[in-house]
Amino acid sequence: MKYFNLFSSVLITKGASRVLISDLERNVSELQSLDLYNLTEDLKLNSIEDVIKEYDRDSKEIINEYIDFLLENEYGFISHNDWDNSFNPLSFDYDSADVINNLFLELDNFSVLHKIRCAMDTIDIRYLVIYSIRQLSKEELEEIDFIFENTSLEGIEIYCPYHDQMNDSFISGLSDQSQRIYKLVLYNCDNITFSTNENLKFSLEYTKDHITIKNCGIVDLKYFNTNNTKIFESKNYNSCLFKKIGIDIEGNIKNCPLMPDHFGNIGNTSLEKVLEMAGFKKYWNLTKDHIAICKDCEFRYICTDCRAFTEKTHQNKDGLDTSKPLKCGYDPYTGEWSEWSTNPLKEKAMKYYDFKIDK
Amino acid sequence: MENKIRSEERNKLPLNFKYLNKLGSKKSKELNKKICYVKCEKFQTDFMTRVTPFKAFTRML
């Protein structure tokens, strides 16, 4: 008798109409039919011969093709006489040493950065994401980096408007001086006055579009990540808000700068106190398995959630918004993507958030 | 599938090396260039590796 063993590092996520096979060794995911999921479940309980004999002659060929597919893609292996019990199942428990993984700041005044710097003496913040509404000079960008010199902050990501002084020497000079900036995104970039250089210490992206902070929350294939940390986090915690802290343009401390609830102002409250406040962590444990529609989606563990903009259709018994993210155009029941902003079913929520409705 | 399995393997793993990344290849040199270190007083090191985040923190583009 032959037995099929699925590798522990292969995660099959069942959706309403398809499955997603995620290979956590190679960090790739691929879509397959629900039949494959049913087959892998059968193969966990029965030998290959026993599974095949349950099917008629035509189907047997298909089952053999599926098993070949699983072997050729190295999703599993065959053992004889019994399943190979040498391989323990992968634990999906997740924990991280960071107190705060990322702080999302809507920047207006540099004094907020100094307050964050002071907070870092007692709490570790791993990444800082800055959205600036105003243009930043080279000196100001360097100052942002300099403020966090010698701290445990690992990286800084900055979104700011493009301006004419941003030429090659501006960008390369910033790359030479900066230590922690790993990503710089320039918006309103109509006329490029710099060449893209691969030797920069940070990734440089630009767009001619005017980006506002309200653009955040887009759900798209390009933002899906297949890696252990991402999937383990998504299975246990909210994939956007877990260990996230936000500060809006007025200094209000929130779960995300785009969410309405705030827990004090950076001017008179410390980040440490906010972390201890009742309700601050209420969304941290809300996984995609408890969000309407998302719980039936095969992408739920590789996708990043959004609680700032939702369809506002569901609420759980604790009063948490468990509606599908507004900016997701995927329907897991049909397996089709469509433009979210033109979906008539989302109009009510779009009006609530004051989004422009495209017809 | 039997002919794909090497007989000397105790567990008959369908091993192959098509995904092996050779050391010293062009790809690995390119990756090494991008490794950045930062100084961190708290952790008492001059070589804290700046690791790219495992997910996108914002999705604005």
Side-chain angles (χ1 to χ4, degrees):
Chain A
M1 291 284 228
K2 290 191 293 181
Y3 293 83
F4 181 79
N5 301 260
L6 194 71
F7 284 127
S8 311
S9 56
V10 174
L11 172 71
I12 302 185
T13 312
K14 188 187 180 195
S17 61
R18 297 186 289 191
V19 293
L20 187 80
I21 307 180
S22 300
D23 185 336
L24 301 181
E25 289 288 346
R26 300 195 177 100
N27 290 348
V28 289
S29 291
E30 69 169 310
L31 288 160
Q32 280 297 334
S33 70
L34 274 181
D35 294 340
L36 187 73
Y37 177 81
N38 296 333
L39 175 66
T40 54
E41 289 299 298
D42 270 0
L43 289 169
K44 282 180 191 169
L45 303 171
N46 302 296
S47 68
I48 293 176
E49 289 84 351
D50 287 343
V51 169
I52 289 175
K53 78 177 178 200
E54 293 298 316
Y55 292 89
D56 60 43
R57 214 174 74 177
D58 289 346
S59 304
K60 276 178 184 160
E61 253 179 63
I62 296 168
I63 295 301
N64 276 319
E65 277 176 28
Y66 271 136
I67 294 171
D68 282 351
F69 163 82
L70 290 166
L71 292 170
E72 278 163 18
N73 285 282
E74 295 177 318
Y75 291 139
F77 64 95
I78 289 173
S79 57
H80 292 262
N81 303 324
D82 193 2
W83 286 278
D84 191 324
N85 295 315
S86 321
F87 299 92
N88 289 330
L90 193 66
S91 164
F92 287 100
D93 291 349
Y94 178 73
D95 200 4
S96 67
D98 322 313
V99 177
I100 290 295
N101 179 266
N102 62 97
L103 189 151
F104 186 12
L105 169 70
E106 198 177 4
L107 182 72
D108 183 35
N109 193 324
F110 273 44
S111 64
V112 179
L113 292 172
H114 290 283
K115 290 211 169 94
I116 295 167
R117 168 67 190 86
C118 290
M120 288 198 67
D121 289 335
T122 48
I123 55 169
D124 288 333
I125 299 171
R126 197 164 176 197
Y127 297 102
L128 176 64
V129 182
I130 296 172
Y131 169 83
S132 174
I133 200 162
R134 66 174 177 86
Q135 295 177 350
L136 296 170
S137 67
K138 183 165 163 282
E139 290 70 31
E140 284 176 314
L141 287 164
E142 285 170 3
E143 191 189 339
I144 292 172
D145 197 284
F146 181 71
I147 289 170
F148 295 97
E149 193 180 34
N150 262 324
T151 64
S152 56
L153 187 80
E154 214 171 278
I156 305 172
E157 180 177 330
I158 302 173
Y159 291 76
C160 66
Y162 165 84
H163 54 81
D164 291 341
Q165 277 79 50
M166 288 179 162
N167 53 23
D168 278 335
S169 84
F170 181 110
I171 300 290
S172 60
L174 178 64
S175 174
D176 291 342
Q177 292 301 316
S178 69
Q179 297 293 318
R180 284 173 166 76
I181 298 172
Y182 66 87
K183 186 175 178 182
L184 179 64
V185 182
L186 307 173
Y187 60 89
N188 290 346
C189 192
D190 287 326
N191 177 30
I192 303 161
T193 48
F194 52 85
S195 55
T196 47
N197 187 337
E198 286 181 5
N199 293 322
L200 297 173
K201 271 194 245 166
F202 47 78
S203 74
L204 179 62
E205 292 178 34
Y206 50 90
T207 173
K208 62 182 179 185
D209 298 337
H210 175 66
I211 303 285
T212 72
I213 197 166
K214 279 182 82 176
N215 280 54
C216 196
I218 295 166
V219 176
D220 190 272
L221 284 166
K222 70 182 172 191
Y223 291 120
F224 290 174
N225 314 93
T226 302
N227 61 63
N228 283 346
T229 322
K230 167 74 187 172
I231 287 175
F232 294 177
E233 185 191 68
S234 301
K235 272 185 153 290
N236 294 282
Y237 301 103
N238 187 274
S239 50
C240 183
L241 298 179
F242 180 61
K243 296 199 173 184
K244 188 189 201 92
I245 199 161
I247 301 176
D248 74 7
I249 197 131
E250 286 158 5
N252 296 317
I253 304 168
K254 303 176 172 182
N255 289 121
C256 161
L258 293 153
M259 289 176 82
D261 294 348
H262 66 86
F263 301 85
N265 193 287
I266 189 78
N268 49 36
T269 314
S270 68
L271 295 179
E272 300 94 303
K273 277 185 187 162
V274 168
L275 282 171
E276 286 165 13
M277 282 171 77
F280 183 76
K281 297 177 182 174
K282 64 183 178 184
Y283 276 105
W284 283 21
N285 294 320
L286 185 70
T287 65
K288 282 282 195 189
D289 293 321
H290 298 99
I291 292 172
I293 304 172
C294 295
K295 64 186 175 191
D296 296 324
C297 179
E298 60 275 20
F299 297 121
R300 63 187 177 275
Y301 302 129
I302 60 166
C303 168
T304 305
D305 188 38
C306 178
R307 291 297 93 202
F309 303 119
T310 70
E311 292 186 350
K312 296 199 79 66
T313 49
H314 293 72
Q315 209 173 54
N316 71 6
K317 59 178 170 42
D318 299 322
L320 299 183
D321 182 357
T322 55
S323 320
K324 181 187 173 185
L326 180 67
K327 297 183 186 178
C328 174
Y330 182 65
D331 182 346
Y333 306 106
T334 60
E336 287 175 359
W337 287 87
S338 59
E339 175 54 45
W340 68 270
S341 60
T342 52
N343 185 340
L345 297 172
K346 292 179 186 267
E347 270 186 27
K348 195 176 165 191
M350 286 174 73
K351 274 184 193 159
Y352 175 84
Y353 293 115
D354 205 19
F355 283 127
K356 190 179 158 220
I357 296 171
D358 297 323
K359 298 259 178 175
Chain B
M1 284 312 295
E2 282 296 328
N3 60 350
K4 290 187 181 177
I5 300 170
R6 288 163 50 163
S7 57
E8 64 270 28
E9 290 290 341
R10 190 173 70 86
N11 291 316
K12 300 194 188 315
L13 296 171
L15 292 175
N16 73 44
F17 297 102
K18 65 181 174 178
Y19 294 99
L20 195 73
N21 223 342
K22 282 183 194 168
L23 280 173
S25 68
K26 198 180 168 195
K27 196 178 173 189
S28 64
K29 271 182 190 165
E30 280 169 8
L31 285 171
N32 287 338
K33 260 191 209 172
K34 289 177 188 169
I35 297 174
C36 294
Y37 301 100
V38 291
K39 289 181 182 175
C40 174
E41 206 171 79
K42 189 171 188 177
F43 300 154
Q44 297 181 23
T45 177
D46 291 347
F47 299 99
M48 185 166 80
T49 316
R50 205 184 75 188
V51 182
T52 311
F54 62 86
K55 65 176 180 184
F57 297 130
T58 58
R59 297 166 302 284
M60 294 195 261
L61 297 175

